[in-house]
Amino acid sequence: MIAYVNGILENLEEGNAVVDVNGFGINVNISGSTMDKMPGIGESVKLYTYTNVKEDAFTLFGFLSRDELNLFKMLITVNGIGPKGGLSILSVMSPDDLRFAIMAGDSASISKAPGIGKKTAERITLELRDKIKVSEDDMLSGGAALTPDISGDGTFPARDETVAALVALGYNSALAMKAVRKVLGANPDAAENTEKLLKLALKEMF
């Protein structure tokens, strides 16, 4: 209903921002990570918003980027994840870290968010993995530099073997996938060579 709120930051406190838009003070619920990135009081701010309408409430949830808003919208499609649960997750994980965790099946990292249990976190990884993959495919087809898919679907065995090797060495699966993704972006020729990819990924981890 309301795509964004653009005005002057009037007040900022944990979980909430008040934005003055032409004399109207608008309350917007925000995540902890968004709060950390907000400008100072009296400065201009633009928050991309999701409108949650209930019989007794009309609530806005705001984000500094469309990317974070889109992830929030994905999260709340999962059964058991309401707007507050979505904010909780995005308070402890950046959009990229959340994507990597979902694609790597790293429910343990997601369950660290307050109010998010192990089963709920597992449901998030199961239900959103394909959506995250489609979203990234869409970005690639839109003109971004083509890099090997890292969704772990078996298309790139060297990549999958490298991630598995890093996890076996004790690295977090989401961080391992993030390192491999970065290496493949800079060295696409390594996509077919597990040994080379592993060496480069280990350097990236350090």
Side-chain angles (χ1 to χ4, degrees):
M1 297 176 69
I2 298 177
Y4 60 82
V5 172
N6 192 1
I8 302 300
L9 183 61
E10 179 70 22
N11 187 49
L12 183 65
E13 56 189 39
E14 187 173 356
N16 181 261
V18 178
V19 183
D20 182 339
V21 181
N22 297 324
F24 290 91
I26 299 177
N27 280 300
V28 184
N29 289 308
I30 57 175
S31 69
S33 59
T34 296
M35 181 177 176
D36 291 340
K37 299 172 186 174
M38 291 287 279
I41 301 298
E43 296 183 24
S44 61
V45 64
K46 182 176 184 179
L47 293 171
Y48 297 94
T49 55
Y50 170 81
T51 307
N52 187 46
V53 180
K54 293 184 177 180
E55 291 182 4
D56 58 346
F58 181 94
T59 311
L60 290 178
F61 294 83
F63 307 89
L64 289 169
S65 71
R66 286 194 178 93
D67 181 36
E68 196 169 11
L69 172 61
N70 290 335
L71 273 175
F72 173 79
K73 288 179 178 179
M74 282 190 189
L75 283 170
I76 62 176
T77 65
V78 177
N79 186 34
I81 300 292
K84 289 187 177 180
L87 274 191
S88 177
I89 294 170
L90 289 169
S91 289
V92 299
M93 303 185 78
S94 70
D96 279 345
D97 286 342
L98 177 57
R99 269 191 288 265
F100 292 132
I102 291 171
M103 293 167 69
D106 184 9
S107 58
S109 292
I110 299 174
S111 66
K112 291 178 182 178
I116 304 299
K118 180 180 178 182
K119 290 185 177 180
T120 301
E122 290 174 347
R123 193 181 305 127
I124 290 171
T125 61
L126 288 172
E127 293 187 20
L128 297 187
R129 182 170 176 175
D130 287 343
K131 291 183 180 179
I132 293 294
K133 181 179 183 300
V134 169
S135 176
E136 292 212 339
D137 287 346
D138 287 345
M139 287 192 293
L140 289 175
S141 64
L146 290 174
T147 57
D149 167 40
I150 59 152
S151 60
D153 57 5
T155 305
F156 293 92
R159 173 212 56 202
D160 298 340
E161 290 169 2
T162 301
V163 172
L166 290 170
V167 172
L169 289 171
Y171 291 103
N172 175 279
S173 58
L175 292 177
M177 185 170 283
K178 187 174 184 177
V180 171
R181 177 193 177 97
K182 188 171 182 179
V183 168
L184 287 173
N187 306 273
D189 59 311
E192 303 298 329
N193 188 323
T194 301
E195 184 178 355
K196 180 178 181 180
L197 187 55
L198 180 57
K199 287 180 179 179
L200 292 171
L202 281 169
K203 289 181 181 180
E204 185 64 35
M205 297 297 281
F206 288 120

